[in-house]
Amino acid sequence: MDRVTLRGLRARGHHGVFERERIEGQTFVVDLTLFLDTRPAAASDDLTRTAHYGVIAEEVTAVIAGDPVDLIETLAQRIADQCLRHEVVEEVEVVVHKPDAPITVPFDDVTITIRRSRA
């Protein structure tokens, strides 16, 4: 499988288990790797035969900004489900970063990584 990767998609969301997270919101960052066969698109030079990463980026940021969930695991699953709605995407890896997670010790980032496929 070929890969199309988007890194650093950012949007503000209101996800988390704490009331402050729900009220104030925070920035979430998402990295995506879309697995697909790009040969049909390359042979025809036709955008409709590949993953339109501009559209997918807009859809993913809409999921982040959309209905709140408690867990970043749930957010990652929703993002994966959205990506797999594109017929050419066979598999997706989603990394959700929560750099402003409510942790009481110094840290750089919190992430969840999931990989989902049509099968």
Side-chain angles (χ1 to χ4, degrees):
M1 285 278 113
D2 303 317
R3 294 177 292 192
V4 174
T5 302
L6 292 90
R7 289 199 176 96
L9 295 172
R10 286 174 169 65
R12 191 156 187 86
H14 293 266
H15 312 290
V17 296
F18 298 113
E19 184 178 1
R20 188 184 102 249
E21 294 177 290
R22 292 296 184 107
I23 293 171
E24 296 174 13
Q26 60 192 291
T27 298
F28 292 84
V29 181
V30 172
D31 304 323
L32 296 175
T33 302
L34 309 169
F35 296 86
L36 62 149
D37 183 357
T38 62
R39 288 175 293 189
S44 63
D45 200 27
D46 182 355
L47 178 61
T48 65
R49 302 189 74 190
T50 190
H52 191 314
Y53 52 80
V55 169
I56 292 172
E58 291 172 0
E59 293 171 351
V60 168
T61 56
V63 171
I64 297 168
D67 293 335
V69 297
D70 287 343
L71 303 177
I72 58 174
E73 292 86 344
T74 306
L75 180 60
Q77 183 64 54
R78 286 184 177 181
I79 291 167
D81 291 343
Q82 180 61 47
C83 292
L84 290 170
R85 287 189 179 114
H86 293 265
E87 192 173 308
V88 298
V89 177
E90 294 295 326
E91 194 168 323
V92 63
E93 183 175 274
V94 177
V95 181
V96 175
H97 301 258
K98 189 175 179 180
D100 298 320
I103 297 175
T104 60
V105 297
F107 74 101
D108 289 329
D109 199 5
V110 173
T111 66
I112 175 86
T113 302
I114 66 170
R115 192 165 174 164
R116 301 292 186 264
S117 65
R118 295 188 171 283

